[in-house]
Amino acid sequence: MNVKSVKLQSTLSGQEFPFDLIEEFTAEGESLEVVVPGITGAKIQPGRFLWERFADFLPFSSVDSGVSLGEGNTPLIQAGKLLTSHTGIENLLLKNETVNPTWSFKDRGSLCCVWMAKEMKEKVTATISTGNMGHSLSAYGARAGLNVLVFVPSFTPVEKILAMNVHGATVLKVGALDYSLMKNTILGLAKEFSLRIVSGNGPIRAEGYKLTAFEMFEQMNRTVPDFIAVPTSACGHIRGIFKGYRELREAGLTERLPKMIVVQAANNSPIVSAIKQGKNHIIPFSNFKTIAEAITSGNPAGGDEIVQKAHRHGWLAEDVAEDEIIESQRMLARAGFFVEPATATSLRAVKKLREQGKISSNHTVVIMLTGSGLKDMDVLRAQPQSVVESSLKTIQADLHKILRSHFKTPSDA
Ligand SMILES: *Cc1c(COP(=O)(O)O)cnc(C)c1O
């Protein structure tokens, strides 16, 4: 057994469960988290891989590095002049998770899910996904020699389904108007089929995401940012990152915790609405439409944990309208970062919070760039197109025109 004496604990009631529990939530829908023994004495060790340096913090006592696809080690870089002046935040950092093996942060969680599946000697690993998680698990399943089953809703972009297919996964496209309803129905089948259906907010996935906090802690010379903005859907990413910082504090490596910024699309904001209205429970959304298709959980299981943590720790929350998402995707691209719409929400949220005075200009703010723009090509049609049609006959005149008019700088005008 390569698992330490680890337990799962409900994040709300505190009730304890065995680590190998098939279901990822309590019967009441509360999210579970891994309690790793001995965190107070945990140390950062020398080692090449993140999971070696932070081995004391992981539930596994040994891991198979052969399952890794080289996830993580992603750049944390200054956002640059354009985005700094756009948001009014001097120390704005971007954590570029789009450079992971399947171009989203999901790979960090998939690594842990595949470790778990191997540990439990499972032949099949399954997930429910609007795309990125399915794509990621398909790649990691292929790497580990596991059968992968992905349940997708019918609105999943074709790029993501094609990617799952090419990795050899079996895709089950489920007709359902409401994604959360579909998800909860399928999760309800887990026990009946003894199938570990890993969701975006499972306890093992969150262990993968907490490694992101450790990586940023190293990248920031063992300091903690004031704020971290995370586009949120199933809630696994945001709680995983925060758990990482909590554990660093428990281990005495820092005294501070970052404040998280929960970001959602205005058209689907069950968590942000609840936080803004001072409620203790999420406000479910259904029958909505948003171009931010990677953040479409309208009734996320485990969402109450985030709402209640937000109240307890003074987190911020903001929602972003559809036209603002498209504009932010363009802004990020003009600054050199090609992200998908769900990811672009954070930039606008941070700008709004700065305008409201909830973030000040000298705060250190990290924006998580969760997924690549290549993930959903269709939405790019919403951006202004500027292709000049030319031919060998007209190219000289076209070039003349472009160099004279297109590239005017403000000082030429
Ligand atoms: C999954 C995903 C999110 C949301 O993360 P959760 O863990 O589900 O809250 C945000 N952005 C992108 C690109 C994603 O793939």
Side-chain angles (χ1 to χ4, degrees):
M1 189 75 168
N2 294 319
V3 175
K4 300 175 187 171
S5 53
V6 183
K7 293 171 302 210
L8 296 179
Q9 188 173 40
S10 163
T11 54
L12 294 179
S13 68
Q15 197 188 343
E16 290 185 357
F17 299 87
F19 181 61
D20 59 0
L21 188 75
I22 279 267
E23 296 92 340
E24 297 201 317
F25 299 92
T26 69
E28 291 73 35
E30 295 167 4
S31 46
L32 297 167
E33 78 179 13
V34 174
V35 185
V36 180
I39 290 282
T40 45
K43 300 226 166 10
I44 305 176
Q45 318 273 4
R48 177 167 163 221
F49 298 108
L50 198 54
W51 67 77
E52 290 172 343
R53 299 195 292 280
F54 290 88
D56 288 0
F57 295 82
L58 284 182
F60 305 98
S61 54
S62 73
V63 295
D64 176 4
S65 62
V67 171
S68 168
L69 286 169
E71 61 296 313
N73 254 319
T74 62
L76 176 69
I77 45 184
Q78 289 287 340
K81 246 195 201 153
L82 183 67
L83 300 180
T84 294
S85 71
H86 176 66
T87 55
I89 296 162
E90 289 296 323
N91 202 5
L92 185 65
L93 298 164
L94 304 177
K95 179 66 172 159
N96 191 359
E97 293 289 295
T98 74
V99 301
N100 274 298
T102 72
W103 317 313
S104 87
F105 74 90
K106 296 287 198 299
D107 293 339
R108 296 178 186 265
S110 297
L111 176 70
C112 289
C113 286
V114 166
W115 276 340
M116 182 72 183
K118 294 217 90 134
E119 182 62 37
M120 298 300 148
K121 309 229 173 331
E122 290 165 353
K123 298 265 176 297
V124 181
T125 190
T127 190
I128 310 164
S129 171
T130 59
N132 287 344
M133 174 131 162
H135 179 187
S136 176
L137 202 69
S138 300
Y140 280 80
R143 173 77 164 165
L146 291 165
N147 296 300
V148 176
L149 181 60
V150 189
F151 302 88
V152 300
S154 41
F155 59 80
T156 302
V158 66
E159 293 87 343
K160 296 183 183 181
I161 292 178
L162 293 174
M164 296 168 203
N165 275 329
V166 79
H167 285 301
T170 300
V171 178
L172 244 133
K173 199 162 163 184
V174 185
L177 263 183
D178 183 76
Y179 181 52
S180 287
L181 185 64
M182 163 191 157
K183 219 165 156 171
N184 295 338
T185 307
I186 296 167
L187 286 176
L189 297 172
K191 200 167 195 172
E192 185 183 331
F193 292 94
S194 296
L195 191 61
R196 190 178 301 278
I197 299 174
V198 297
S199 80
N201 193 13
I204 310 305
R205 276 199 99 68
E207 291 302 290
Y209 301 153
K210 90 182 183 189
L211 288 170
T212 315
F214 299 159
E215 189 173 296
M216 291 197 287
F217 189 63
E218 289 185 330
Q219 287 174 317
M220 296 181 73
N221 297 319
R222 301 201 177 189
T223 65
V224 174
D226 296 303
F227 294 99
I228 303 175
V230 189
T232 294
S233 184
C235 306
H237 197 205
I238 193 163
R239 72 152 166 150
I241 294 171
F242 189 67
K243 184 173 192 269
Y245 284 105
R246 260 173 44 219
E247 292 184 354
L248 289 172
R249 190 174 69 166
E250 229 179 294
L253 292 163
T254 176
E255 284 172 6
R256 299 187 69 213
L257 290 175
K259 286 195 198 306
M260 309 305 286
I261 304 173
V262 188
V263 183
Q264 297 196 295
N267 284 358
N268 175 40
S269 51
I271 300 168
V272 170
S273 301
I275 296 171
K276 282 188 170 180
Q277 294 173 30
K279 301 252 162 66
N280 271 327
H281 301 287
I282 61 164
I283 300 166
F285 275 59
S286 57
N287 293 326
F288 54 82
K289 257 199 140 119
T290 172
I291 57 160
E293 57 75 29
I295 47 172
T296 39
S297 299
N299 188 10
D304 286 356
E305 177 201 355
I306 301 306
V307 175
Q308 294 177 25
K309 279 204 165 72
H311 294 317
R312 181 159 2 111
H313 297 284
W315 292 359
L316 301 179
E318 194 51 274
D319 52 64
V320 183
E322 297 293 294
D323 57 335
E324 294 174 329
I325 296 173
I326 294 169
E327 196 196 322
S328 297
Q329 183 184 35
R330 185 165 65 249
M331 282 298 296
L332 279 156
R334 297 289 157 94
F337 300 93
F338 188 32
V339 302
E340 66 176 291
T343 301
T345 53
S346 293
L347 179 72
R348 190 51 168 252
V350 163
K351 177 179 164 69
K352 286 181 170 180
L353 292 165
R354 169 71 199 104
E355 284 162 1
Q356 295 159 19
K358 292 181 178 151
I359 300 177
S360 61
S361 62
N362 58 2
H363 276 135
T364 299
V365 181
V366 176
I367 289 180
M368 304 301 298
L369 298 185
T370 50
S372 163
L374 280 172
K375 292 277 193 177
D376 190 348
M377 300 298 277
D378 208 41
V379 298
L380 295 171
R381 293 182 219 282
Q383 298 292 356
Q385 310 292 315
S386 70
V387 176
V388 179
E389 296 290 344
S390 186
S391 71
L392 291 182
K393 278 201 184 107
T394 61
I395 184 135
Q396 191 184 16
D398 291 336
L399 192 55
H400 190 71
K401 207 158 77 193
I402 287 170
L403 292 176
R404 290 268 308 268
S405 61
H406 266 55
F407 295 146
K408 256 189 198 152
T409 60
S411 56
D412 301 332

